[in-house]
Amino acid sequence: MTRLTRFVRTTAFKLSLLYIAVFTVMSGVLVVYVSESTDNLMSEQVVQAVDAELKGLADVYVRGGIRNLVEAIDDRTRHPDASLYLLVDFSGNALVGNIARLPTVVLEEADGGLRRVRYTLLGQGTEDVERQAMVRTFELRGGFRLLVGRDLGDQLRFSNLLANALRLWLVVVVVMAAITWLFVSRRVMKRIDDISASSRMIMNGDLSERLSLTGTNDEFDRLAVNLNDMLDRIELLMQSMKDVTDNIAHDLKTPLTRLQTRIETALRDARGEEGYRGALESTLSETDHLLRIFNALLRIARVESMAPGSVMEPVDLNRIVAEVAELYEPLIEDEGGQIETSVPADLKAVCNRDLISQVLVNLVENTLKYGRPEEGEMRLRLSAAEENGRVVLTVSDNGPGIPEEDHERIVDRFVRLEESRSEPGTGLGLSLVKAVARLHGGDLRFKNEDPGLSVQIDLASVSPESSRSGYGEDYSGKAGEADGDR
């Protein structure tokens, strides 16, 4: 009873019930309309046939009188069809015709009006079978009365046949609607129950559970695909949160432990002003490292919370790349390397200037830390070009590159391929680059060269519409300090 009550309350049941009611009413209206229309059409045909017979007999009567009329009626009754004739004298005696019996009132009211009467046909053993007919009765000179009509047997049989067929159609419609209702309801309920069961498993902690697909690409499949994509994203975020928690515990535990150790050592062993100053300077260095971690996290959170398109404007990429190259050129040349740029003079992209500058700074800093070749001088190249309606910004080097299996993992927060973590950095630089790329509607891609590594992000190119629309809101954050990642 509980399942039945739950089933009756479902939207599928209510919609199916509504469809059955609509189909039944429409079929009923169709039955009535077709029956009435058919009956009216056949009645008109009967009237036309009776009037045609009357006109022919009237012409015979006018030309030859009652004798020719009797002969004409007698001749016509010898060819049996649906037509009816009866000619009686002033006493009511039948002179000629094919009607054996009918109500006397029909002959008494000889006003020419169309009447529906019951009668029995004359001859061939049909006197006991009562029939229906449409007749007209006229009074002639000398007290004669003439009845002309049309038997309705064929019309009634056709009407009954049509009515039975339409009633059968109505029954079939109702049965098929009920079968369809049962099929649809059971199918919809099964899909909904499957979704509910999967949802319960997910709520119980099994984030790997996914909604099943039937492969029909119907609305339930499309809903399931979107929900599965959402669940994939949630599972990824949950795993990322777990990884962040583990990594941040590792990254913060070490400097906090060193900070605590230095303070305890200073309190225990430091003597004089120089000793305390050294302890304070070491403490300040550790706190600076902690602040860099928190500032990097805040920058990533701020970028991820921005609405795409709300901080964008047409920017000259040639100028940005030139500024970053000019900033790092002395450092690279002092170490015997070289930096190159390749950006078309008029290339512009719809982006945030400060964030793109931060991206370039992070990527260059990563290259300086981890992109040095084992032999020879370092070559760093900053380039940009328009491809397939997007502007692709590339930073490439001739260093050792990154293993293919680590391309996805390296952009996660606090992930550093240098397991010893002896190099300075927080492991958040590429996470910020990925967040900026996502904000710009693009993606962060890695490609191993031979030798070296290329890192690319794609941006929206400047179109006439974007140039005219204007971008009023600017990002107030600064490029800040770059963080190492690998």
Side-chain angles (χ1 to χ4, degrees):
M1 183 62 67
T2 302
R3 293 187 60 185
L4 179 61
T5 302
R6 184 169 62 91
F7 180 74
V8 170
R9 291 178 179 177
T10 60
T11 302
F13 175 82
K14 295 176 182 177
L15 288 177
S16 300
L17 201 62
L18 176 62
Y19 292 154
I20 291 177
V22 170
F23 289 151
T24 303
V25 171
M26 291 180 63
S27 299
V29 171
L30 179 64
V31 168
V32 174
Y33 174 76
V34 172
S35 298
E36 292 292 334
S37 299
T38 304
D39 188 66
N40 292 336
L41 178 61
M42 298 186 70
S43 296
E44 291 178 1
Q45 292 177 346
V46 169
V47 172
Q48 292 174 0
V50 171
D51 291 343
E53 292 284 351
L54 282 172
K55 185 177 183 302
L57 294 176
D59 293 339
V60 172
Y61 178 70
V62 170
R63 289 195 304 268
I66 194 67
R67 183 180 298 276
N68 287 350
L69 179 60
V70 171
E71 293 177 355
I73 292 175
D74 183 65
D75 182 66
R76 295 187 182 189
T77 56
R78 296 179 187 277
H79 305 284
D81 59 8
S83 297
L84 301 174
Y85 309 95
L86 181 62
L87 180 62
V88 299
D89 60 13
F90 62 91
S91 298
N93 299 316
L95 301 179
V96 66
N98 56 359
I99 297 178
R101 189 169 55 250
L102 82 164
T104 57
V105 67
V106 177
L107 295 174
E108 292 174 355
E109 298 178 358
D111 55 2
L114 190 66
R115 291 182 175 84
R116 190 184 187 105
V117 300
R118 294 182 176 275
Y119 77 100
T120 55
L121 189 64
L122 179 65
Q124 300 180 355
T126 59
E127 291 84 353
D128 295 334
V129 179
E130 192 174 56
R131 301 169 180 266
Q132 294 188 46
M134 297 291 291
V135 301
R136 291 184 188 274
T137 307
F138 293 90
E139 185 174 358
L140 306 179
R141 290 191 304 269
F144 296 98
R145 291 180 176 83
L146 174 64
L147 180 147
V148 179
R150 191 80 174 177
D151 186 80
L152 298 180
D154 293 339
Q155 178 181 352
L156 293 175
R157 284 192 294 273
F158 182 78
S159 297
N160 290 334
L161 179 63
L162 180 63
N164 291 333
L166 292 177
R167 280 192 290 271
L168 179 61
W169 163 253
L170 183 61
V171 172
V172 170
V173 166
V174 174
V175 172
M176 292 301 298
I179 294 175
T180 304
W181 161 56
L182 289 174
F183 172 76
V184 172
S185 298
R186 288 176 62 86
R187 183 174 183 273
V188 171
M189 287 299 299
K190 184 178 184 305
R191 296 297 299 274
I192 292 177
D193 289 341
D194 291 343
I195 293 175
S196 299
S198 299
S199 300
R200 283 192 296 270
M201 294 181 66
I202 294 170
M203 287 187 294
N204 290 333
D206 184 6
L207 294 180
S208 63
E209 177 67 19
R210 294 296 179 267
L211 305 182
S212 61
L213 302 176
T214 61
T216 59
N217 198 31
D218 58 4
E219 61 276 8
F220 285 103
D221 268 8
R222 294 195 295 272
L223 176 62
V225 168
N226 291 333
L227 291 178
N228 287 339
D229 290 342
M230 181 185 69
L231 292 172
D232 289 340
R233 180 62 177 166
I234 292 175
E235 184 180 17
L236 177 62
L237 292 176
M238 295 294 291
Q239 184 61 40
S240 299
M241 183 179 297
K242 179 179 180 300
D243 294 340
V244 167
T245 303
D246 294 340
N247 287 312
I248 200 171
H250 181 278
D251 277 277
L252 294 182
K253 181 179 180 180
T254 300
L256 286 174
T257 302
R258 286 199 302 264
L259 187 62
Q260 182 183 24
T261 301
R262 286 192 176 95
I263 294 174
E264 291 176 349
T265 302
L267 291 175
R268 185 180 63 252
D269 300 333
R271 295 291 183 270
E273 181 179 348
E274 291 298 327
Y276 287 111
R277 176 178 292 275
L280 289 175
E281 289 176 350
S282 299
T283 302
L284 182 60
S285 176
E286 293 295 337
T287 55
D288 286 341
H289 179 66
L290 291 174
L291 288 175
R292 283 197 299 272
I293 293 176
F294 285 113
N295 287 335
L297 290 172
L298 289 175
R299 284 200 299 275
I300 295 173
R302 187 163 57 242
V303 171
E304 290 179 339
S305 65
M306 291 179 184
S310 64
V311 294
M312 309 301 175
E313 61 181 354
V315 173
D316 185 356
L317 289 182
N318 193 312
R319 183 176 177 182
I320 295 180
V321 171
E323 290 175 353
V324 174
E326 183 180 359
L327 176 64
Y328 285 94
E329 186 176 11
L331 177 60
I332 295 176
E333 289 182 349
D334 287 346
E335 297 182 3
Q338 58 179 346
I339 183 170
E340 302 175 357
T341 62
S342 177
V343 183
D346 57 348
L347 183 63
K348 291 186 177 181
V350 179
C351 61
N352 181 278
R353 180 185 179 88
D354 293 330
L355 292 180
I356 297 303
S357 298
Q358 175 74 75
V359 165
L360 291 174
V361 168
N362 281 17
L363 295 178
V364 171
E365 287 284 348
N366 269 351
T367 302
L368 292 176
K369 290 179 181 178
Y370 310 107
R372 300 176 183 274
E374 296 180 0
E375 297 181 358
E377 64 179 18
M378 181 175 64
R379 293 194 306 273
L380 178 62
R381 180 181 175 85
L382 308 179
S383 61
E386 189 168 1
E387 298 178 5
N388 300 323
R390 301 280 291 180
V391 174
V392 179
L393 189 61
T394 305
V395 177
S396 57
D397 59 53
N398 62 337
I402 299 176
E404 293 282 350
E405 60 271 16
D406 292 326
H407 285 184
E408 293 290 336
R409 189 171 66 93
I410 192 61
V411 297
D412 294 336
R413 297 180 186 181
F414 296 108
V415 172
R416 298 170 66 185
L417 300 185
E418 183 213 7
E419 298 298 338
S420 64
R421 304 199 175 206
S422 59
E423 292 288 341
T426 62
L428 295 172
L430 288 180
S431 298
L432 177 61
V433 173
K434 181 179 179 181
V436 172
R438 186 184 300 117
L439 176 68
H440 287 77
D443 196 13
L444 174 62
R445 299 184 296 272
F446 300 91
K447 181 181 180 183
N448 284 331
E449 306 291 349
D450 189 18
L453 176 74
S454 292
V455 184
Q456 296 180 337
I457 66 169
D458 57 292
L459 311 170
S461 63
V462 175
S463 61
E465 290 76 9
S466 62
S467 298
R468 290 194 298 266
S469 61
Y471 301 84
E473 186 177 352
D474 292 331
Y475 176 56
S476 60
K478 300 301 180 182
E481 185 175 347
D483 302 299
D485 288 86
R486 297 188 216 171

